[in-house]
Amino acid sequence: MSLRAETLALHAGWRRDPATHAVAVPIYQTTSYQFDDTEDAAALFGLEKLGNIYTRIMNPTTDVLEQRLAALEGGAAALALASGQAASAFSVQNLARVGDNIVSSTDLYGGTWNLFANTLKDQGIETRFVDPADPDGFARATDDRTRAYYAETLPNPKLEPFPIADVAAIGRRFGIPLIMDNTAAPLLVRPFDHGAAIVVYSLTKYLGGHGTSIGGAIVDGGNFDWAAYAGRQPALNTPDPSYHGAVWAEAAKPLGPIAYILKARVTLLRDLGAAISPFNAFLVLQGIETVALRIREHSRNALAVAGYLKEHADVTRVIHPAYLQGAAAARSEFYLPRGQGGLVGFELAGGAPAGKRFINALKLFYHVANIGDARSLAIHPASTTHSQLSPADQAATGVSPGYVRLSVGIEHIDDIIADLAQALDAARVE
Ligand code: PLP
């Protein structure tokens, strides 16, 4: 039976607890699992069969979360992790080693930018940043040591959808997978439908949806033939000394098209240990049960907010996927027919002082650095998330002094707009 997203969000990966018949997914708060006997233990360690060994690398609660994410995304398998940052880092480290490089869109979450520009660089992995408005830039930046392309589906602050299909097609010519961070657009965009090979998520945002838990995930599309590009992808095609010489593209075959995600689990997660707790996996699962409803409401409310701001005399610019120009507008129509997400940016005529006054006057919106909570959230990037950047660098990332980012929640739209209206009034007063 081919189920739709609303149904998968409630049912995928679970029917009832085999031991107790519980309907809700239990929190298996255990570190370890009793082996049947030494042969059973040896088979599990040797990957002759899959099963629970130790919660750092797998857990039954987390397993349901992973199956549900893979089903929602139309992928082959998933790996849940302690945070979105861990997911981004592992997604690249799983393919690139010292001396290798990746090509990434410039339009990234600041934490990912830092990871690529500094931490992975220190580990010997170079990131070549290219403008996503020009997909061919990915081809031009590619050389023999390029192992992956990386981008965000709906990056803020610009909120211009990434040309997934174009860049995925370029990558497939070279044997290079496109990794998409789909954090801002779950259920709205399924990057595998457009040729991406790997999806990463911060579960902290819309999927968890309630601002309770940090978590991340990598989903393997199972749609990339790693063995066909042995020279390009040595990490999956040469013997891995950390797993008695396993060649992952071959070793995973009996288990399905999951070489990439299997390697990430049994090497990176084993060694670096960024495991999600079973409790957080449970909370994210609770969130996922209603994500289809929430994302619809987020999209509806954000569109209404964008329309309201567009007409406001003190607002000089509204940034929202419905108000883009040229090629970006065409991409928005193509990639976002199911809704445009919950993020809205706008610029105040009064610049940074007005931006700060606006934030301080908000009563309903929370002033936080998060996005994707069921509640409405706001931040003034120039004085917070982007304050370490020079004004020129701020401008390059799309942040002007008066720019305000809203993550529009699922409260009643009249209450959301009333709060914005009173804060815009307060921002005008010197
Ligand atoms: N990717 C995007 C698009 C994000 O917005 C964030 C966090 O803000 C992350 C990744 C990192 O996720 P986490 O905070 O769960 O580590």
Side-chain angles (χ1 to χ4, degrees), residues 83-86 88 109 112 152 181 183 202-205 214-215 371:
S83 66
Q85 282 301 105
S88 308
Y109 164 60
T112 312
E152 288 181 20
D181 179 340
T183 298
S202 168
L203 303 175
T204 316
K205 310 295 185 319
I214 303 282
I371 59 167

Side-chain angles (χ1 to χ4, degrees), residues 288-355:
I288 289 177
E289 291 197 354
T290 56
V291 68
L293 293 179
R294 283 186 288 104
I295 206 81
R296 225 176 274 153
E297 285 302 298
H298 283 296
S299 293
R300 216 163 60 124
N301 282 350
L303 185 63
V305 164
Y308 166 76
L309 292 169
K310 196 85 187 152
E311 300 302 319
H312 199 285
D314 298 344
V315 173
T316 51
R317 198 158 79 94
V318 173
I319 298 99
H320 180 271
Y323 293 105
L324 298 170
Q325 306 294 324
R331 282 205 296 274
S332 181
E333 258 177 55
F334 177 71
Y335 286 108
L336 295 169
R338 299 186 196 121
Q340 293 150 327
L343 302 177
V344 181
F346 67 98
E347 285 176 17
L348 281 165

Side-chain angles (χ1 to χ4, degrees), residues 64-152:
V64 180
L65 170 61
E66 291 166 342
Q67 289 190 48
R68 199 156 291 180
L69 287 168
L72 279 171
E73 213 54 55
L79 177 65
L81 294 163
S83 66
Q85 282 301 105
S88 308
F90 280 20
S91 74
V92 172
Q93 289 170 319
N94 207 35
L95 298 173
R97 300 189 283 207
V98 175
D100 293 341
N101 66 73
I102 64 165
V103 183
S104 171
S105 164
T106 46
D107 292 358
L108 291 178
Y109 164 60
T112 312
W113 178 281
N114 245 328
L115 169 70
F116 289 177
N118 298 301
T119 300
L120 288 186
K121 182 172 164 223
D122 287 346
Q123 295 178 358
I125 299 168
E126 179 200 349
T127 300
R128 301 170 174 187
F129 292 102
V130 299
D131 180 354
D134 174 17
D136 289 337
F138 280 80
R140 289 195 298 276
T142 298
D143 69 11
D144 288 349
R145 300 292 298 267
T146 305
R147 305 291 180 229
Y149 293 163
Y150 192 100
E152 288 181 20

